[in-house]
Amino acid sequence: MWCYSLTRRRLLRGALGLTLALGGCAWDTPMSTVVPRSDVAREILHVYGIITWVALGIALLVGIALAWVIVRFRERPGAAALPTQIRGHSLLEIAWTIAPAIVLLVIAIPTIQVIFRTQAAPPRDALQVRVLGRQWWWEFRYPTLEVVTANELHVPAGQPVALTLDGPDVIHSFWVPMLGGKRDVVPGRLNRLIFTAETPGEYRGQCAEFCGVSHANMGMRVIVDAPDAFARWVAAQKAEPAEPAAGPAADGKAIFARSACVGCHTIRGVSSGVLGPDLTTFGSRRTLAAGLLPVTVDTVAAWLKNPTALKPDAKMPPLGLTDEQARAVATYLIGLK
Ligand code: CUA
């Protein structure tokens, strides 16, 4: 009875461990690497697939061979202490040199093919976007459209997008698993990532290279729009910001214009700072502080009052605003669409 309950406890513990381990590998998480939604992600998954099946096949062969050896050469009563020992078997040695070489070749050929395909020059109709990784947020510049945004990259479905990645401070890594592989953002070096998103939707991404205290808070979103929705987004981004209505929004604009905000942030027609995100269409964004919080008057006001409380080591200093002033600036910013 004691033995039975111990075995059952072990089984339960094993099942729990397996559940937890598999739970970490859910297929349908927002950052799943096995749910491709672009040509590049599909190519990468294809290589993953080959490697996984080859590795599983080898594991199976090795497992079967090992089981056979364990059973065949187990210690038997009355048998000799050691089975016949083999040394210097040329055929065996050649075989186990060639076999791994063949395995590597099977993996290398499709891998190199995909590397060359994904590094090819972008097609002529590709939408050009310059990606700047900064401590700890993302800037997206569309040179041909004259649009600048932060942390939320909009791209049209079905059109190739050519990202040029660069960074002014330290190394970051652009990673939106459902749309493509990681690409490092290295100061002084232009890396490229070209992909065609297939399905409209919102795709989560994350800086994938340790870049300082708030590395884990350096998220991003790629919003894949249907082509007409993308055209509307571009038009809205280029429109002149509307004058805020009298009341808290207008008060917020006045506070913004006379405070330290203007030293770091651009709002077209109001200020031209370049250290922080361009806020000209801040209200059109879904999230705040590199994907950390949803955009609401409360969260924006909390951010304005004390950025480092929400994002450790954030470069933006507390502005010394009262609650009322912070809410007024938040109302103004959210009204910028
Ligand atoms: Cu940027 Cu990690």
Side-chain angles (χ1 to χ4, degrees):
M1 191 61 213
W2 178 82
C3 265
Y4 170 72
S5 71
L6 184 73
T7 314
R8 203 166 58 164
R9 222 181 298 153
R10 269 193 197 144
L11 269 175
L12 270 175
R13 217 179 296 156
L16 183 68
L18 194 67
T19 311
L20 286 175
L22 291 176
C25 313
W27 294 75
D28 55 348
T29 56
M31 290 186 55
S32 173
T33 50
V34 291
V35 183
R37 290 289 179 267
S38 81
D39 53 345
V40 172
R42 224 168 269 287
E43 295 247 32
I44 293 169
L45 186 62
H46 168 69
V47 176
Y48 270 165
I50 293 172
I51 294 171
T52 306
W53 289 118
V54 167
L56 274 176
I58 293 171
L60 201 67
L61 283 180
V62 171
I64 291 171
L66 187 64
W68 179 77
V69 168
I70 289 171
V71 174
R72 173 76 180 73
F73 297 103
R74 69 186 184 279
E75 193 174 6
R76 291 192 179 92
L82 278 175
T84 323
Q85 300 295 294
I86 302 168
R87 280 197 185 82
H89 194 297
S90 307
L91 193 66
L92 259 183
E93 302 213 355
I94 290 169
W96 68 47
T97 307
I98 289 177
I102 292 173
V103 171
L104 288 181
L105 205 65
V106 167
I107 292 171
I109 291 172
T111 305
I112 292 168
Q113 280 175 334
V114 167
I115 288 173
F116 273 87
R117 273 207 294 275
T118 55
Q119 292 290 333
R124 266 172 204 283
D125 63 335
L127 173 68
Q128 302 286 337
V129 185
R130 185 153 173 240
V131 177
L132 291 129
R134 295 172 181 273
Q135 282 176 319
W136 286 276
W137 57 284
W138 298 92
E139 183 166 273
F140 303 116
R141 297 182 164 267
Y142 301 68
T144 50
L145 304 175
E146 292 176 355
V147 166
V148 180
T149 186
N151 301 319
E152 292 180 10
L153 172 69
H154 280 251
V155 299
Q159 185 187 343
V161 180
L163 305 183
T164 307
L165 307 120
D166 188 9
D169 46 44
V170 300
I171 300 176
H172 304 271
S173 186
F174 181 92
W175 186 42
V176 184
M178 286 163 89
L179 297 178
K182 288 170 192 162
R183 200 67 99 229
D184 279 1
V185 184
V186 184
R189 186 194 150 88
L190 294 181
N191 277 344
R192 219 160 42 187
L193 177 63
I194 301 154
F195 65 88
T196 304
E198 294 163 349
T199 324
E202 184 183 298
Y203 300 94
R204 292 266 296 273
Q206 166 66 36
C207 177
E209 179 76 39
F210 181 71
C211 54
V213 175
S214 265
H215 155 70
N217 297 320
M218 192 171 165
M220 78 197 94
R221 279 169 172 67
V222 176
I223 293 142
V224 177
D225 295 317
D228 53 338
F230 180 72
R232 282 197 299 277
W233 178 80
V234 172
Q237 295 297 303
K238 292 169 79 108
E240 279 310 306
E243 202 51 40
D251 297 344
K253 182 179 178 182
I255 297 164
F256 180 93
R258 67 165 185 263
S259 69
C261 312
V262 296
C264 297
H265 296 280
T266 291
I267 292 181
R268 233 178 303 132
V270 180
S271 62
S272 54
V274 293
L275 290 177
D278 187 309
L279 302 175
T280 307
T281 55
F282 176 80
S284 70
R285 294 179 201 149
R286 301 172 185 183
T287 57
L288 166 72
L292 211 53
L293 299 161
V295 169
T296 67
V297 172
D298 288 334
T299 55
V300 177
W303 172 263
L304 292 168
K305 288 203 71 177
N306 194 356
T308 45
L310 297 170
K311 189 195 267 190
D313 220 23
K315 303 294 181 204
M316 177 166 154
L319 296 167
L321 301 175
T322 64
D323 283 341
E324 198 190 347
Q325 287 171 326
R327 293 185 72 82
V329 176
T331 308
Y332 164 57
L333 293 176
I334 290 172
L336 298 169
K337 294 194 195 258

